[in-house]
Amino acid sequence: MKIVYSPLHTKHHPPFEFRRGEKIPAFEIPDRVANIVETLRQRSFGEWIGPENMDLPLQKIHDSTYLQFLKEIYPRWHKAELDGDLVPYCWPPSTPIAGKEMPQDIFGQLGYFGGDADTPILAGTWEATYAAAACAATATKLISSGAEQVVFSLSRPPGHHAGKSRYAGYCFLNHAAIACEQLLEDGMEKVALLDIDYHHGDGSQAIFYDRSDVLFLSLHADPDYEYPFFSGRSHEEGIGKGKGYTKNYPLAIGTNWDTYRATLEQAITHIHDFQANALVISLGLDISERDLLGKFKLGDEVFGLLGEICANIALPSVIILEGGYAVQYLGGFTYDFLYHFEQTIMRLQ
Ligand code: OKP
Ligand code: ZN
């Protein structure tokens, strides 16, 4: 299987995040992907390639003011030679009147575009997330050209919480959404985006909420009890043309494999009904019971099973890494998923 990877992910290396007002070591760190690279290479798995130097459909997914903010905020901060970290502390209210205009102040803009205080912007954040988007788009090209049946984009930081004009949940650019857009641009008519990260892919949902060319499906922890709290409920099903093209499956804390598998099978029936031409998978490894943030009860064996189930959807597939924080296990989980995925498509052919 081809794996698209860029070492530029290491340019984004948050030192901390907040928990109950205290700074604690960050969960979303370069070691996550380092463990995956090391494990897959040790097991001689994958044909490794770098991202192509190509035009990315960023403007189709994100607003141009947001892209400009993301690119320029750190250099601007650095130039001002101020102290401290680029983390927002003040957010716009959700009233219809206030909060609509972008302030000029750096912290005003951080609150305007940023969704939470766990997602710092560092000197190399733009470079890292851009490289991750390029990995996703490169993987996509190999699928839309028909050269490959499945490609893995080893993207970091994750992307599925990033909205049109919003960074949050460790995410800045939405790499999975960029992959979907690239597939459509390359001539695919309908794309399914299946998000199996532990957290609801609120950014991906928002980006495609009013569209019928991308079917967004997400299995995730019930937002009543888990980040991102404010979306991912089962009644959210799209709007306008997009009505019926968003499907949410919130799951209880402690969900086991029987429930998870049955729910996934149900989601997959909608991918078939939709008659998708291609599949993008937002692969979160934080569904594991070993995860530091996730609270499902899913054992190590589920990753192989999931690889098999996803491959049996039998669509050209781009797999994109999202979360997963049990650092030393991530390589094993990824290997199991990809290996069983590949074995299954070989059997299908
Ligand atoms: C990103 B991805 C609080 C911990 C939770 C946000 C979780 C983001 C998950 N300090 N913070 O979907 O795996
Ligand atoms: Zn997650």
Side-chain angles (χ1 to χ4, degrees), residues 73 76 89 102-110:
I73 193 77
R76 200 180 139 199
Y89 63 85
M102 181 181 76
Q104 288 310 307
D105 180 78
I106 289 178
F107 281 86
Q109 292 189 356
L110 290 171

Side-chain angles (χ1 to χ4, degrees), residues 221-241:
D222 187 339
D224 258 341
Y225 302 99
E226 272 296 2
Y227 185 92
F229 301 116
F230 309 109
S231 76
R233 286 165 174 84
S234 52
H235 63 77
E236 295 162 22
E237 50 179 21
I239 197 166
K241 268 202 305 166

Side-chain angles (χ1 to χ4, degrees), residues 43-64:
R43 300 181 191 182
S44 305
F45 185 87
E47 256 179 84
W48 296 72
I49 57 172
E52 249 174 71
N53 193 357
M54 60 189 273
D55 278 338
L56 306 179
L58 296 185
Q59 281 84 359
K60 291 244 174 98
I61 295 299
H62 297 285
D63 287 339
S64 55

Side-chain angles (χ1 to χ4, degrees), residues 160 197-199 286 323 325:
H160 72 151
D197 187 278
Y198 176 77
H199 304 93
D286 42 7
Y325 307 97

Side-chain angles (χ1 to χ4, degrees), residues 17-20 24 27-28 32 116 118-119 158 160-161 168-171 197-200 226-227 284 286 293 322-325:
E17 62 179 68
F18 293 106
R19 173 175 277 184
R20 303 179 193 128
I24 59 164
F27 293 101
E28 203 297 291
R32 297 175 57 240
D116 58 55
D118 277 342
T119 313
H160 72 151
H161 297 300
Y170 315 148
C171 305
D197 187 278
Y198 176 77
H199 304 93
H200 180 240
E226 272 296 2
Y227 185 92
D286 42 7
L293 295 179
E322 301 286 356
Y325 307 97

